[in-house]
Amino acid sequence: MAEAWPDLAGRLKGDVHVLPVRVYFEDTDAGGVVYHARYVAFCERARSDCLRLLGIHQSRFDGLNFVVRRMVCDFLKPARLDDLLEIETRFIDMGGARVEIGQEVMLNGNSLFRAHVTVALVDGTGRPRRLPENMAECFRRFSKS
């Protein structure tokens, strides 16, 4: 088994997960500006890595999956080729099968993109399933850090 790389999944700082992301050519349009859909991909990666660091491994959910139910995005300023971004993820609220998440793409302390994301835990047929207590406790502990 390969040895884990430090900070590959970002880091937890209090109640915030921070994932560094370098902007590569593939992330940009012809003008060298980050293509709008890439911000959503950066945020997806950050949510997955945040869960991983909390000990919630999506590959071990036994037929359950998180799905994005709603996402509200604000594009504030452009990121460009070679920028080193930080994706910040915070858990805002949860209840039943739902988790509310706030995410922000930052460059040198400036906000470029914000998203409010609602995810739901569903089974293999797409029906909502209540968050298991151990998972809910992980979210509560992280939110209170």
Side-chain angles (χ1 to χ4, degrees), residues 64 96-98 120-123 125-131:
L64 299 176
R98 168 193 56 81
L121 189 64
V122 299
D123 64 18
T125 66
R127 298 181 83 87
R129 293 293 175 230
R130 180 171 286 283
L131 297 171

Side-chain angles (χ1 to χ4, degrees), residues 66-139:
F66 277 116
V67 296
V68 173
R69 184 181 182 293
R70 182 172 186 262
M71 180 180 262
V72 177
C73 302
D74 289 313
F75 297 87
L76 306 170
K77 297 178 184 175
R80 300 184 187 283
L81 181 64
D82 290 330
D83 282 349
L84 182 56
L85 308 174
E86 289 189 329
I87 311 341
E88 296 183 353
T89 301
R90 292 173 175 79
F91 292 96
I92 299 169
D93 193 22
M94 69 175 171
R98 168 193 56 81
V99 180
E100 302 285 333
I101 302 167
Q103 293 189 280
E104 201 161 4
V105 176
M106 306 292 290
L107 175 63
N108 300 323
N110 297 305
S111 181
L112 307 182
F113 172 86
R114 288 188 191 124
H116 184 99
V117 185
T118 303
V119 296
L121 189 64
V122 299
D123 64 18
T125 66
R127 298 181 83 87
R129 293 293 175 230
R130 180 171 286 283
L131 297 171
E133 184 51 39
N134 60 339
M135 186 184 296
E137 181 56 31
C138 284
F139 291 136

Side-chain angles (χ1 to χ4, degrees), residues 14-66:
D15 64 348
V16 178
H17 173 262
V18 180
L19 179 70
V21 173
R22 167 104 38 219
V23 175
Y24 293 102
F25 186 76
E26 68 186 19
D27 300 318
T28 64
D29 61 16
V33 173
V34 171
Y35 180 67
H36 72 280
R38 296 302 294 156
Y39 291 99
V40 174
F42 295 158
C43 288
E44 172 66 31
R45 187 178 311 160
R47 287 192 308 276
S48 294
D49 280 337
C50 181
L51 289 176
R52 185 175 290 109
L53 289 179
L54 293 177
I56 301 170
H57 298 276
Q58 295 182 87
S59 60
R60 301 181 199 149
F61 273 14
D62 294 328
L64 299 176
N65 296 294
F66 277 116

